[in-house]
Amino acid sequence: MCGIAGFMTVDGTSPSDQVIEAFTRCLAHRGPDGHGVFREKNVALVQTRLAIIDLETGDQPILDDKGNVISANGEVYNFVELRASLPDMAMKTASDCEPPLHLYGRKGLAFVDDLRGMFAISIYDQERGRLVLTRDPFGIKPLYYAETPRGFAFASEPQALIGAGLVKPEVRNTARDAFLQLQFSTGRHTIFEGIKRVLPGETLVVERGLVVDHHIKLAVPAGGPRAITAEDATKKMEEALVNSVKVHQRADVPYGLFLSGGIDSSALLSLMAELNDNPIKAYTAGFSGTDVPDERQHARMLAKKVGADHTEVEFDESDFLTLLPKVAEAIDDPVADYAVLPTYKLAREARKEVKVVLSGEGADELLGGYGRYRSYCRPWPLRKQIRGTGTFDGLGIFKQEIGKDWHKGIEIAERYLKKFDFTRLQRAQGIDLIDWLPHDLLIKLDRCLMANGVEGRTPFLDPQVTEAVFYLPDSLKIQNKLGKSILRHWLNRRLPEAQPFSKKRGFKVPVGHWIANHGVKLGPMVADQPGVAAFGDRDAVIKLFKTEGKEEGFAAWTLLFYALWHQRHILELKTDGDVFDALSLT
């Protein structure tokens, strides 16, 4: 797990020392264990390293005998099998990222077809004078780029492109509106003018500083459900999950698990306990003295049942006020998912004992777990759009109505998926796999963990698991108004204490309660922030922070997060203080 960046100039001149130094500095938090630089003619590649596999010789960039150079972020889990398939290749390291380099030498751009893992990879082909960028099909690992008059730049995080002086920190209003309404932004364009995403599964080819070719391999497989019995489907799913968890545990450093108490992490706990001789280190966040479910007691019972070493992490109002500015700083591609808060603190605590954490992201998307899927599958006219309503609808916060452009990214994904022979449930899953998962949940996991020097791994997001479960009949995903039915039945047999048929509680954070405690003070401070004042009616914003209600509380949280994010990443102001100290800077 690392940070990567690079630059290819248009005019053939060498990238400047200042750009290289800025890349290294801005991505140092992603790679506290060292850094490396490759420079040749008009190209520079930079990597900052978080050492997980091959601690001794795995430094990057890595060069092969043909003059190809790789700099990668992530983990290629099938590197053991890939090495065995390349017996004639003299490997210089034991790194999981060296086999992809040799595969590129043999197969060209098709090398990505053999990779199983989470990755954002850059390869400079010196003979052809081309730069190749590719990202894993789920988009687990991030990669951004900017096409500038000076040349083509890329980095693991947008703030590195801005910090290097290659892009100005300016807001793209359409992406901002999508963020406000959806809590994330969709598609290729980020919230920053001039900064784009390499899309999940996309490969770009760059020559002389210009993109000359690209293609995409989506995580969403083509084809409708396949006929299969519940027994055979369960067996196939179990085999895939066991194998996935096994390869996701490949590491030369200690690893653990984020245990929420839900069925996804409980399933991983059960498998990890079976596959390991030593107790699993599990970490659970909880919120005392609030009306949201506290999962620590349930998680504690499950951990005791399987013999796990369980750590409980309290997240309270004080944490909310002190950590939120740090979280907003870490998440430069903004997501207003309030789970960023406990995720950040969990990572900070886990870092004291482990360097890798497994997490349950992806199970809902692959197995039909969300209630919105059932709403989308209702017969007309009862069915609802995926994310058809926005956070601020009907609240009167905006100075001018923003229309429905913020929903276009979701609509584009929906139209694209209609060409496949999918059921409506599969289509709903596909929409989330294309946008919600990579641009919200996985950004949250990546930034919160990498800010604390921890690598996050997601065993459900694996091609073998996808092959086993995405093609299942709808009836094996949803039964009796409960999603993930096949996983629930399987877990009930393995670990009935997990109570897999209990109603989905969801992971909630009492941000509305904490904001309400300070609403009178926070309202004017947020309303007067330049980022919020650009679109928000001051009186309406102040009133919002004084109003109790679920919708109002979430809208207030979104504005607070955006105000802090804008201050740090657009105005480029920074403080080590709490929320009030940060908001007082402007």
Side-chain angles (χ1 to χ4, degrees):
M1 188 68 66
C2 308
I4 63 172
F7 193 61
M8 175 181 273
T9 64
V10 173
D11 59 9
T13 59
S14 177
S16 69
D17 292 340
Q18 290 77 13
V19 167
I20 293 172
E21 290 168 1
F23 282 159
T24 303
R25 181 182 69 254
C26 293
L27 295 175
H29 60 281
R30 295 186 68 91
D33 297 328
H35 68 275
V37 176
F38 170 84
R39 299 179 71 166
E40 177 67 23
K41 298 179 181 178
N42 67 326
V43 172
L45 302 181
V46 174
Q47 196 224 33
T48 60
R49 187 181 185 210
L50 179 65
I52 302 295
I53 292 174
D54 185 17
L55 308 186
E56 298 298 325
T57 66
D59 292 341
Q60 296 183 35
I62 303 171
L63 285 72
D64 68 11
D65 295 334
K66 298 180 180 180
N68 300 317
V69 190
I70 190 169
S71 179
N73 166 35
E75 303 293 348
V76 178
Y77 298 124
N78 64 332
F79 74 99
V80 175
E81 292 77 11
L82 291 177
R83 283 177 176 273
S85 71
L86 298 167
D88 56 325
M89 290 292 180
M91 301 281 180
K92 300 177 181 178
T93 74
S95 170
D96 61 298
C97 292
E98 186 171 359
L101 178 63
H102 294 290
L103 283 172
Y104 173 81
R106 283 192 170 186
K107 304 181 67 173
L109 300 180
F111 82 103
V112 297
D113 296 339
D114 293 343
L115 305 185
R116 179 186 182 189
M118 56 176 186
F119 53 82
I121 292 174
S122 65
I123 293 178
Y124 175 51
D125 185 329
Q126 295 191 63
E127 182 179 345
R128 294 182 175 88
R130 72 182 185 183
L131 177 67
V132 176
L133 303 180
T134 191
R135 192 175 173 203
D136 70 80
F138 289 104
I140 304 170
K141 290 294 99 188
L143 194 56
Y144 302 85
Y145 68 95
E147 298 166 287
T148 77
R150 295 162 59 187
F152 180 94
F154 69 91
S156 294
E157 298 182 5
Q159 60 185 334
L161 299 172
I162 293 170
L166 300 171
V167 181
K168 293 181 179 180
E170 298 176 348
V171 170
R172 182 181 176 87
N173 289 340
T174 53
R176 178 204 64 195
D177 295 344
F179 162 79
L180 293 171
Q181 291 286 62
L182 293 168
Q183 77 190 33
F184 67 99
S185 57
T186 64
R188 185 177 299 278
H189 292 281
T190 72
I191 199 169
F192 296 103
E193 286 283 5
I195 299 181
K196 301 175 182 178
R197 301 181 179 105
V198 177
L199 295 175
E202 185 172 38
T203 298
L204 297 181
V205 180
V206 184
E207 296 178 0
R208 296 179 297 280
L210 301 172
V211 177
V212 297
D213 191 17
H214 79 103
H215 64 268
I216 291 181
K217 177 184 177 183
L218 289 175
V220 182
R226 299 169 182 171
I228 190 172
T229 66
E231 181 180 356
D232 287 344
T234 302
K235 181 180 179 181
K236 187 176 180 181
M237 179 190 72
E238 181 177 53
E239 290 174 349
L241 283 174
V242 169
N243 184 270
S244 181
V245 171
K246 188 178 297 183
V247 300
H248 277 72
Q249 293 181 157
R250 288 177 171 172
D252 295 331
V253 294
Y255 53 82
L257 169 71
F258 281 171
L259 179 61
S260 70
I263 66 170
D264 308 333
S265 60
S266 297
L268 296 181
L269 176 70
S270 173
L271 290 169
M272 291 177 72
E274 179 182 293
L275 293 170
N276 287 270
D277 295 328
N278 297 321
I280 298 301
K281 294 185 179 297
Y283 304 86
T284 305
F287 317 97
S288 299
T290 68
D291 59 357
V292 303
D294 190 326
E295 298 183 321
R296 283 176 292 182
Q297 182 177 353
H298 183 63
R300 184 188 313 137
M301 179 270 295
L302 293 177
K304 183 177 180 180
K305 176 66 179 179
V306 303
D309 180 3
H310 188 228
T311 298
E312 298 178 21
V313 179
E314 171 76 20
F315 194 100
D316 58 21
E317 186 172 323
S318 174
D319 292 314
F320 171 70
L321 295 174
T322 58
L323 291 181
L324 183 52
K326 295 179 177 62
V327 173
E329 179 179 353
I331 306 180
D332 56 341
D333 189 355
V335 295
D337 184 336
Y338 44 52
V340 297
L341 295 164
T343 302
Y344 186 93
K345 188 173 183 182
L346 277 173
R348 192 176 68 176
E349 294 301 312
R351 184 64 179 85
K352 298 173 182 178
E353 300 180 299
V354 301
K355 215 169 181 180
V356 172
V357 171
L358 275 64
S359 186
E361 275 80 3
D364 284 299
E365 290 78 7
L366 290 176
L367 285 160
Y370 295 123
R372 60 177 175 270
Y373 295 164
R374 299 189 287 280
S375 298
Y376 183 78
C377 294
R378 290 172 183 166
W380 181 262
L382 300 177
R383 70 177 54 148
K384 296 181 180 179
Q385 281 183 292
I386 292 292
R387 306 185 179 279
T389 57
T391 299
F392 290 89
D393 286 358
L395 295 180
I397 297 298
F398 299 111
K399 294 177 181 177
Q400 297 178 334
E401 289 300 319
I402 62 173
K404 291 288 286 185
D405 282 352
W406 59 269
H407 199 263
K408 280 187 176 179
I410 304 295
E411 293 169 355
I412 289 170
E414 185 175 24
R415 286 197 300 270
Y416 172 80
L417 292 168
K418 282 183 179 180
K419 71 180 185 178
F420 297 114
D421 186 23
F422 285 167
T423 65
R424 283 192 67 83
L425 175 58
Q426 284 182 310
R427 198 181 306 161
Q429 294 173 263
I431 292 170
D432 276 352
L433 286 168
I434 288 174
D435 263 318
W436 154 255
L437 182 69
H439 301 146
D440 184 307
L441 300 185
L442 296 177
I443 287 177
K444 171 203 72 179
L445 189 69
D446 175 82
R447 300 302 202 281
C448 289
L449 271 64
M450 292 304 292
N452 290 284
V454 178
E455 174 176 291
R457 297 183 176 184
T458 52
F460 282 102
L461 297 177
D462 178 83
Q464 291 192 15
V465 177
T466 303
E467 176 69 22
V469 302
F470 189 81
Y471 294 113
L472 293 179
D474 292 356
S475 60
L476 293 179
K477 297 175 183 176
I478 298 177
Q479 290 180 5
N480 300 321
K481 298 182 180 181
L482 285 176
K484 297 183 288 193
S485 177
I486 189 172
L487 186 66
R488 293 177 191 271
H489 282 283
W490 173 82
L491 185 59
N492 194 50
R493 292 197 293 271
R494 287 182 62 95
L495 189 61
E497 293 83 1
Q499 303 172 17
F501 291 103
S502 60
K503 185 177 179 181
K504 181 180 176 67
R505 295 184 296 270
F507 188 72
K508 298 179 180 178
V509 183
V511 292
H513 172 74
W514 294 329
I515 288 174
N517 289 343
H518 304 276
V520 173
K521 185 176 181 180
L522 283 174
M525 298 182 80
V526 170
D528 290 337
Q529 290 300 309
V532 175
F535 62 82
D537 178 271
R538 187 176 190 275
D539 292 339
V541 171
I542 293 173
K543 180 180 178 182
L544 178 72
F545 276 80
K546 295 179 180 178
T547 305
E548 294 187 14
K550 180 179 178 181
E551 289 78 15
E552 290 83 0
F554 190 76
W557 148 254
T558 303
L559 288 180
L560 174 59
F561 184 91
Y562 180 75
L564 293 168
W565 175 89
H566 184 276
Q567 187 180 79
R568 176 65 187 90
H569 296 285
I570 301 300
L571 302 182
E572 298 184 302
L573 301 175
K574 184 178 180 180
T575 179
D576 291 326
D578 65 11
V579 165
F580 299 107
D581 294 327
L583 293 175
S584 297
L585 292 176
T586 53

